Amino acid sequence: MLGENGAGKSTLMKILIGLIQPDEGSINVHGNAVRIADPITASDLGIAMVHQHYSLVEQLTVWENVVLGEPSRLNRADACARVVALSERYGLGVDPLAGVSRLTAGQRQRVEIIKCLRREPRIIVFDEPTSVLTPAESEQLFSVLRRVVIDEGRAVALVSHKLDEILHATDEITIMRRGRVVDRLTTGTATAAGLAQSMVGRPVSLRSEAAAFGSIETITQSVDAAPVSDRPDGADASPAGPHAAAEMPVVLDVRNITVIGVDGHRLLDDLSITVHAGEIVGLAGVEGNGQRALGDLLASLVAPVSGSVVVGGKAINAGRPGALSAAGVGIIPEDRHDSGCVLDLSVAENLVLADLDKVSRRGVLNRRALEARAIELMDAFDIQARSPHAPMRSLSGGNQQRVVLARELSAHPRVLVAAQPTRGLDVGAIEYMSERLRRAARDGVGILLISTELEEVLTLSDRVCVIHAGRIVGEMRRDDIDLERLGMLLGGMAA
Amino acid sequence: MIAFAGAIGDVLTSSTMYGSTVRFAALLVFAATGEWVAEKAGTMNISVEAMILTGSFTAAIGSYLGHSVWIGLVFGMLGGLLVSLIQANMSHRLGSNQFVVGLTLNVLAVGLTAYLNAKINPTVTKAGAIKIPLLSRIPLVGGALFGQTWLLYLLFPLIPFAWWLVYRTRWGLEVRSVGESPQAVDVSGIDVNKRRRQSVYFCGLCSGVAGAYLTIGQVGSFGTDGVSGRGIIALAAVILGGWTLKGTVGAAVVFGFFDALRFALPALGHTVNPQLLATLPYAMALTTMLLFAHRGRQPSALTRPFVRGLT
């Protein structure tokens, strides 16, 4: 099951598992029409789902999680034995006594798989199973899937927006777009470019799509090889060019910043980074090396213990709420639901939230001005919503991100900090976001792109800085990027 | 300063003081044990106050009508259960805000019990004290723990039972999970709101026992201001106890001590402003909530209502 974010894949699967009730239509399981009222009914029908998140209780141990929802009496020894048996049968290596909160994303997923297989389901649904996995873990997951299908005759529905794993792991493909099935085909006859096109509904620039191509090395290469050759010439170079940007004034100068977390751990350690006007600086790094702290710092969410932040030549008291925003630093936060937008307000309200002066007088909002402003921005940024008054919650991830982008860019910032701007977005939305960032740079905004997607950093940046353990450990210009050295820097090795 | 040290010394060597600490603490422990279970499942059950008060009133009615302590106890439990039925179904079936429901019930219970009490004016059969042989002869604490009304002894099986229920049964596993991660529990095929309702019922039964203990075990009559905020203190005990049963019971005993101090200090001949002394347990409860509210790891989904569907 392939489709962009917001295409309706997860909703369809939630209907199958009884979490959402359909308003119309029918479901047949083994030829019989059924009504799936709740997850218990689904389980009785032999349907089980490995969820994207939400299905393990962190404070419990593995075996407690596995038996959760069973009707029988609690029997620790027996439950542990069954976990070990399943773990061995599928080569999953799961310890029944481990606490779930201490497991990695990959291990948690294996626990979920055990929990799911223990009920001997005949139909297993995997919802975006590789979004949190490393390439090796994804490879292992697919080998388990093959066993389940070929040796044990179970049916597997794999939901994904990653073309490579759909091509790699499935027999048949159904493509969804905007809540409808738009295509069904046999995997043998499918090509990456064709799938991408029917998924988005139009031809896509495959260079920006690279970030959406996932994790499995060999597949990524074969998929990537063809499109890269026919990408539009020079579309990925920002027109100002790296050397031109260096002559522009410095708009953001972060000097020797140290931020200490609540547990006394140094999140940023004497970190310095500069961004010129019209330049895209990519901050590459493995997740958890201080990216979040830097984003929080530049949003005035945390105060540094030492160092200074200079915006457009003026030193700013970074820890004072709103100080950096007032100085002209726009931010696309890492977690858009948490700090990027207010899900329960309308699209229009979200769009004007950062700059209410324009649409209010003496503290009273002018509804008409607000609506006009919202419609103007929705047009300019191609935001698809029923109306300006539609709740933010009802928008797809890509459209929510456009709202955040529109709000930040419409305030005409000097600096735009984009933290993981394309995380969780689909091909079309990634393409759009990349194009918008390039355009903003052309207009003279200094852009700091914080991303764990190396592909994205390399595609967009004029200059790449590498962060490791809260420090900048290396820097290279776009024209002398050495992938080997970059790899070592990312891994924390001096090079 | 010397007078203060002297007062503390008097208090710690007075076996009367241990006795009254236990008597005051028992009420709190009954209620706090129930509240602990409710909070484990994710309900910050402030109507525990109304549950105790209603329980203490219905216990009076029961013992008046049946001329029996046992009937009083059963009525007390039913009274607590009645309030919990309203709280649980309003907040975990109809989706009302648990605090609004709780607050309303607390105010309602005060008015309603006062009215009915004036109307009926029940005379209460009081439960007698039972001295447990040998154990009650332990110096200082023996009489305090083992020379009390038999209703208090219900605590001794209740505490281990509650622990076993929460940590060793499937129901308990589900209750703990519901308080931590309701979405995960829902997809595992468990009725989240049903478990939450059941845990509130448990709290209602325990609080009902607390109320019955107050009326038939200690006072011997129903007093409209007999509970006066002790339910809230039981709730504070769960917080101070860091959401462990051991901690909860310990905290309830500490609060019981301060409650007892109100009467012990004047009795031992120390003059303290009585109004100020009366605020002591509540000031302590507030202070400890302020200091320790974030110390223990509270259930992640505490106070968060559960609605199935899109998230």
Side-chain angles (χ1 to χ4, degrees), chain A residues 19 97 121 166 209 230 275 314 328 352 358 414 454 462 468 478:
Chain A
L19 287 174
L97 294 175
I166 290 283
E209 181 184 341
D230 59 33
V275 180
K314 246 176 75 183
V352 300
K358 275 208 184 74
R414 291 178 196 208
L454 192 54
D462 300 313
H468 184 265
R478 160 182 212 89

Side-chain angles (χ1 to χ4, degrees), chain A residues 83-198:
Chain A
V83 171
V84 170
L86 276 168
S87 171
E88 276 170 7
R89 187 159 120 208
Y90 296 101
L92 294 172
V94 167
D95 172 13
L97 294 175
V100 168
S101 61
R102 284 210 286 278
L103 300 183
T104 65
Q107 289 170 320
R108 283 176 200 214
Q109 189 179 55
R110 276 175 255 156
V111 176
E112 296 200 18
I113 292 173
I114 285 186
K115 181 171 173 172
C116 171
L117 286 171
R118 182 190 43 85
R119 295 179 198 187
E120 299 287 338
R122 298 165 74 178
I123 302 162
I124 310 174
V125 180
F126 280 83
D127 188 11
E128 304 279 0
T130 60
S131 59
V132 291
L133 301 187
T134 65
E137 285 173 332
S138 303
E139 197 39 74
Q140 201 209 1
L141 169 70
F142 288 125
S143 76
V144 172
L145 282 192
R146 269 189 293 274
R147 268 202 68 175
V148 164
V149 173
I150 297 167
D151 300 352
E152 299 177 5
R154 304 183 209 272
V156 171
L158 176 67
V159 178
S160 179
H161 64 262
K162 291 182 181 165
L163 300 177
D164 66 331
E165 66 190 35
I166 290 283
L167 283 169
H168 179 65
T170 64
D171 300 316
E172 287 180 45
I173 306 173
T174 298
I175 301 171
M176 283 186 74
R177 188 168 73 232
R178 297 190 172 199
R180 290 169 173 274
V181 171
V182 293
D183 208 355
R184 279 183 230 272
L185 47 143
T186 310
T187 308
T189 65
T191 64
L195 288 179
Q197 187 164 337
S198 38

Side-chain angles (χ1 to χ4, degrees), chain A residues 217-239:
Chain A
E217 210 61 31
T218 52
I219 301 299
T220 312
Q221 278 162 10
S222 65
V223 168
D224 228 348
V228 167
S229 57
D230 59 33
R231 95 186 106 98
D233 201 21
D236 54 342
S238 86

Side-chain angles (χ1 to χ4, degrees), chain A residues 54 59-60 67 70 72 115, chain B residues 170 177 180 184 186 188-189 297:
Chain A
Y54 285 137
Q59 270 62 43
L60 300 184
V67 298
E70 279 183 0
S72 60
K115 181 171 173 172
Chain B
R170 169 163 301 282
S177 307
E180 291 289 349
D186 183 48
S188 303
R297 222 206 53 80

